[in-house]
């Protein structure tokens, strides 16, 4: 019953939307509606859904209507969420100025810029020991268990079925748990994101192109940092190897750089920052 209810809930909130100078039109599997801009009281470009006690709060753009209802657009469900938010930003500015709404075209850029070389030794590192983290321990523990089972417990070459099962389980652990092992470098001009077990991850953000950083506690995942750029594109980076003192220092140093912080965790505001961890 819970599984069916969850599926129906997401089918209901998954909307295909079209924005024009007159309003916003949405279409889902069960319902189509048109909301004229005259009915919109406020547009919250960055925020979270309340979850309604049924699902965990999710990153969303929320339109508050004059009749008290809310129209939610879940950020993770839209590949072009940056362009969508930039268009709604124009609407919000026109509503605030009580001027005619005229939406101009929006171009999208890459979320994180590719950089050939970055001197990471001159930047503050926020990493922790991923071998001692829960995610890292499970990954390496599973690898050790698999090697032992194949080569010591059963010296004969394993069957095809055994290899398929081990491969699928290993892929799951490496994918789901590896995704939660990001770490960060922070300097006065750049924020760099890497991953302990995914060597191809190398995302670079210019500090002056970051609109907001959100510290989140996703449901059943590690404490995470979401980076939102000036053109409203966002990416979430779970970092299970960081400890509480790492997060507090990272939060303080980001604030010192003038970046807007949305703290949705239980982290307390630090008084001072360390130069390096």
């Amino acid at each position: 019953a819970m599984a069916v209810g969850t599926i129906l809930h997401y089918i209901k909130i998954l909307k295909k939307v079209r924005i024009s100078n007159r309003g916003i039109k949405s279409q889902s599997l069960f319902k189509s509606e048109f909301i004229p801009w005259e009915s919109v009281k406020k547009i919250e470009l960055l925020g979270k859904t309340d979850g309604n006690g049924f699902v965990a709060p999710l990153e969303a753009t929320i339109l508050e209507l004059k009749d008290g209802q809310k129209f939610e657009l879940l950020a993770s469900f839209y590949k072009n969420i940056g362009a969508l938010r930039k268009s709604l930003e124009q609407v919000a500015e026109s509503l605030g100025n009580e001027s005619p709404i005229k939406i101009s075209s929006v171009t999208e850029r890459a979320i994180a810029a590719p950089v050939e070389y970055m001197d990471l030794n001159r930047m503050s590192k926020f990493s922790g020991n991923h071998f001692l983290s829960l995610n890292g321990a499970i990954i390496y523990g599973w690898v050790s268990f698999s090697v032992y089972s194949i080569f010591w417990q059963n010296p004969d070459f394993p069957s095809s079925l055994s290899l398929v099962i081990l491969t699928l389980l290993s892929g799951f652990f490496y994918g789901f748990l590896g995704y939660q092992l990001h770490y960060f470098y922070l300097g006065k001009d750049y924020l760099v994101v890497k991953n302990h077990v995914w060597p191809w991850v190398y995302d670079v953000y210019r500090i002056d192109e970051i609109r907001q950083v959100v510290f989140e506690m996703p449901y059943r995942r590690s404490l995470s940092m979401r980076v939102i750029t000036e053109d409203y594109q966002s990416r979430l980076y779970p970092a299970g190897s960081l400890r509480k003192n790492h997060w507090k220092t990272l939060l303080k140093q980001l604030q010192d750089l003038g970046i807007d912080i949305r703290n949705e965790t239980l982290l307390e505001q630090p008084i001072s920052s360390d130069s390096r961890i």
Side-chain angles (χ1 to χ4, degrees), residues 219-257:
Y219 179 65
R220 290 188 176 180
R221 277 183 288 171
S222 302
L223 192 66
S224 308
M225 185 174 76
R226 181 183 299 276
V227 180
I228 303 176
T229 61
E230 282 293 337
D231 53 356
Y232 291 106
Q233 298 191 65
S234 71
R235 186 169 288 171
L236 185 68
Y237 297 103
S241 64
L242 273 67
R243 298 293 178 258
K244 185 176 180 179
N245 64 313
H246 299 155
W247 285 111
K248 292 174 66 175
T249 306
L250 176 59
L251 188 153
K252 181 62 170 60
Q253 290 192 13
L254 287 168
Q255 281 187 329
D256 291 343
L257 291 171

Side-chain angles (χ1 to χ4, degrees), residues 40-41 89-102:
V40 178
K41 178 181 178 181
E89 181 183 43
Q90 299 176 51
V91 175
E93 291 176 354
S94 298
L95 291 176
N97 299 329
E98 297 183 351
S99 59
I101 295 174
K102 187 175 181 181

Side-chain angles (χ1 to χ4, degrees), residues 56-178:
L58 300 172
E59 191 72 15
T61 291
I62 303 171
L63 280 65
E64 182 179 337
L65 308 184
K66 292 179 180 179
D67 61 3
Q69 298 186 59
K70 290 184 178 182
F71 182 83
E72 300 175 344
L73 299 171
L74 301 184
S76 59
F77 292 169
Y78 296 91
K79 184 178 180 180
N80 61 338
I81 186 62
L84 181 61
R85 282 172 164 166
K86 289 291 287 186
S87 299
L88 290 174
E89 181 183 43
Q90 299 176 51
V91 175
E93 291 176 354
S94 298
L95 291 176
N97 299 329
E98 297 183 351
S99 59
I101 295 174
K102 187 175 181 181
I103 303 174
S104 59
S105 60
V106 176
T107 58
E108 288 190 298
R109 297 181 297 173
I111 296 180
V115 175
E116 294 184 359
Y117 173 76
M118 182 74 61
D119 188 0
L120 300 179
N121 292 324
R122 295 180 177 271
M123 305 173 72
S124 297
K125 182 180 179 181
F126 301 87
S127 172
N129 189 334
H130 76 287
F131 292 100
L132 301 179
S133 68
L134 177 62
N135 299 301
I138 294 176
I139 291 176
Y140 294 113
W142 173 257
V143 171
S144 301
F145 169 77
S146 300
V147 172
Y148 172 77
S149 299
I150 293 174
F151 296 103
W152 278 271
Q153 191 72 8
N154 183 10
D156 297 329
F157 194 79
S159 65
S160 298
L161 179 60
S162 299
L163 284 176
V164 170
I165 294 175
L166 286 174
T167 301
L168 291 176
L169 288 175
S170 299
F172 170 78
F173 286 128
Y174 184 69
F176 180 71
L177 300 177

Side-chain angles (χ1 to χ4, degrees), residues 188-190 205-211 230 257 259:
K188 65 177 183 178
D189 298 315
Y190 294 97
Y205 297 89
R206 289 186 58 88
I207 296 299
D208 56 8
E209 292 185 352
I210 298 176
R211 178 180 294 270
E230 282 293 337
L257 291 171
I259 295 176

